[in-house]
Amino acid sequence: MKDNIEKRVICFFILMSAILVYVAATAVRNIQRSIKSEAWVNKTHDVIIHAAEIVSYLHAGDAALRTFMITGESRDQIKYRNAYSTMIERQDELLALTRSGAEDAELHEKVLGLDTLVSNRVEIARSVAKAREQGGLEDVRKLYLSNPDAESIGRIERYVTSLIGTERELLSRRDVDEYTQAVTTKWTVYSGVAVNFVLLAFVFGLLRDDLHARRVAAKALEEANAQLEVKVQERTADLIKANHALKQENLERRWSYQTLDHQGRYNQLIINSISEMVFVISRALNVSRINPAVVHQTHWQPQDLIAQSIERVVKLTPDSGNAPEHNPLSQAMRDGREIQERPAVLTTRSGRTIPVRFSLVPLHDQDKVVGGVLTVRIPEGVQRPN
């Protein structure tokens, strides 16, 4: 129950964090877009202002040029030149404003077209001024008849009016997009905050239920501890009684082990006192223990025979009824039966062989044969080894 509540609370907090991250990312992205849009709006206004100033300086230069054609004074000539020079500067600035950015490529193409018209108008104005200086009003009249300047000014005005209209239309669209974006951002933030408050309410409910469950569990634990204390006291009393009984049993068992140890020593003394050779062998026919008679009569030391095959010392001779390859010891171990007075050959440490008789008694552990006791004696009339 506790793990489930913790998992739910963690999931709710992860979801709330994801919503906050999304709201923050959306807000940051919209702020960046707003900054970028504001920069674009400012640049668009600059384009409109520069385009309007081009027309304004064009009219001012044209008026000064007409005055110069009438008066021929250098003062009027300087005025129209200044006006046209400022107009060219505004045109160059307009080209620079629209030169960067992929979205300004179409506008830049239009500005290049306006630059061509302005350049043509400047060339016409220079021709008119040159004609006035050289030939007077008659040459100017002839030049106007061949190149009517009113048409070029009108084309520039229409071109600029179209360019400004296009930019203002783009500004209107951008205003609509900005308003839509602002509304979307507002509802995104409001929705994210509202969802987080709802999730907080769920988390509060889960925590309240968890605290209630913990109080109930603590009360139940107190009751269980009280019952456990009673049981511990009862169990302690039982353990004290059992401990007394166990001490008594251990004492009796120690006496039993001492008795068994004494009995084992007596048995070892009895085996060691037997004049016949005694081999204790495993089921695999390996020697595990010998008595002193083996050492005395064969001169083999215990470390030479322990864990070695019995056939290193005692080699069996087959009976007349058995095949040569038949091993009566292995068969007796498998069957769990005794062997009495069978012939064999004893090999001493010096390599001398002596005919002997052996007997085997299997050793049982419950129903399994775990080894055997092999007794070997030298028959009467056979010379014993020195």
Side-chain angles (χ1 to χ4, degrees), residues 33-80:
R33 291 179 60 184
S34 297
I35 294 173
K36 184 178 179 181
S37 178
E38 183 179 0
W40 182 88
V41 169
N42 292 335
K43 186 173 71 172
T44 303
H45 282 295
D46 287 341
V47 169
I48 293 173
I49 291 172
H50 279 73
E53 287 182 352
I54 288 173
V55 174
S56 177
Y57 283 112
L58 174 64
H59 285 292
D62 184 69
L65 178 62
R66 292 180 182 275
T67 303
F68 171 69
M69 286 187 296
I70 295 173
T71 62
E73 294 182 3
S74 60
R75 179 185 58 186
D76 297 324
Q77 186 179 17
I78 292 173
K79 287 182 179 181
Y80 99 82

Side-chain angles (χ1 to χ4, degrees), residues 42-289:
N42 292 335
K43 186 173 71 172
T44 303
H45 282 295
D46 287 341
V47 169
I48 293 173
I49 291 172
H50 279 73
E53 287 182 352
I54 288 173
V55 174
S56 177
Y57 283 112
L58 174 64
H59 285 292
D62 184 69
L65 178 62
R66 292 180 182 275
T67 303
F68 171 69
M69 286 187 296
I70 295 173
T71 62
E73 294 182 3
S74 60
R75 179 185 58 186
D76 297 324
Q77 186 179 17
I78 292 173
K79 287 182 179 181
Y80 99 82
R81 287 181 177 177
N82 289 337
Y84 272 56
S85 176
T86 305
M87 179 183 67
I88 293 173
E89 290 178 0
R90 295 294 182 271
Q91 178 63 25
D92 292 338
E93 293 174 358
L94 185 60
L95 285 172
L97 283 173
T98 60
R99 186 173 291 117
S100 61
E103 57 184 21
D104 293 333
E106 183 178 355
L107 177 61
H108 186 67
E109 293 294 330
K110 292 182 179 180
V111 173
L112 288 175
L114 177 61
D115 184 67
T116 302
L117 295 177
V118 170
S119 298
N120 293 336
R121 177 57 192 169
V122 170
E123 291 297 327
I124 292 174
R126 289 175 179 173
S127 301
V128 170
K130 186 177 181 180
R132 178 65 180 81
E133 292 175 355
Q134 295 177 356
L137 292 175
E138 184 63 26
D139 289 346
V140 171
R141 187 178 66 82
K142 293 179 181 180
L143 182 61
Y144 266 117
L145 290 177
S146 59
N147 295 299
D149 60 328
E151 179 62 24
S152 63
I153 294 175
R155 289 182 63 189
I156 292 175
E157 288 179 345
R158 289 191 299 272
Y159 202 95
V160 170
T161 301
S162 175
L163 188 148
I164 292 174
T166 301
E167 291 301 297
R168 286 178 177 172
E169 184 179 356
L170 291 176
L171 283 174
S172 299
R173 293 179 185 175
R174 186 59 62 95
D175 289 339
V176 173
D177 293 341
E178 285 294 317
Y179 175 77
T180 304
Q181 181 178 338
V183 171
T184 303
T185 303
K186 180 181 73 175
W187 283 110
T188 300
V189 173
Y190 288 169
S191 300
V193 172
V195 171
N196 276 342
F197 274 116
V198 172
L199 293 177
L200 280 175
F202 276 112
V203 171
F204 176 77
L206 288 175
L207 294 177
R208 183 186 60 187
D209 295 341
D210 181 56
L211 290 175
H212 177 71
R214 288 173 184 267
R215 293 192 189 99
V216 173
K219 186 176 180 181
L221 183 61
E222 291 178 358
E223 296 176 355
N225 287 335
Q227 296 176 1
L228 183 61
E229 184 66 25
V230 175
K231 291 183 179 180
V232 166
Q233 293 176 358
E234 295 175 354
R235 184 59 178 168
T236 302
D238 295 337
L239 287 175
I240 292 173
K241 294 178 181 179
N243 190 27
H244 288 302
L246 185 59
K247 287 181 179 179
Q248 186 66 29
E249 182 181 351
N250 287 338
L251 183 59
E252 295 175 356
R253 186 173 296 174
R254 189 188 309 165
W255 292 341
S256 299
Y257 287 157
Q258 291 176 355
T259 302
L260 291 175
D261 184 56
H262 293 160
Q263 185 65 40
R265 292 179 182 178
Y266 295 152
N267 292 339
Q268 185 65 36
L269 290 173
I270 292 170
I271 292 174
N272 291 341
S273 64
I274 296 175
S275 61
E276 294 182 350
M277 291 173 280
V278 178
F279 298 86
V280 180
I281 61 175
S282 65
R283 185 165 180 168
L285 305 183
N286 293 327
V287 177
S288 61
R289 184 177 297 179

Side-chain angles (χ1 to χ4, degrees), residues 358-374:
F358 74 92
S359 298
L360 174 67
V361 178
L363 297 176
H364 295 268
D365 184 4
Q366 295 181 356
D367 295 334
K368 296 181 180 179
V369 176
V370 296
V373 176
L374 183 73

Side-chain angles (χ1 to χ4, degrees), residues 280-314:
V280 180
I281 61 175
S282 65
R283 185 165 180 168
L285 305 183
N286 293 327
V287 177
S288 61
R289 184 177 297 179
I290 61 176
N291 69 339
V294 175
V295 178
H296 177 69
Q297 298 187 33
T298 65
H299 303 294
W300 289 104
Q301 297 300 318
Q303 60 268 22
D304 297 329
L305 298 179
I306 300 302
Q308 302 294 324
S309 175
I310 187 61
E311 293 185 351
R312 184 176 185 180
V313 184
V314 180

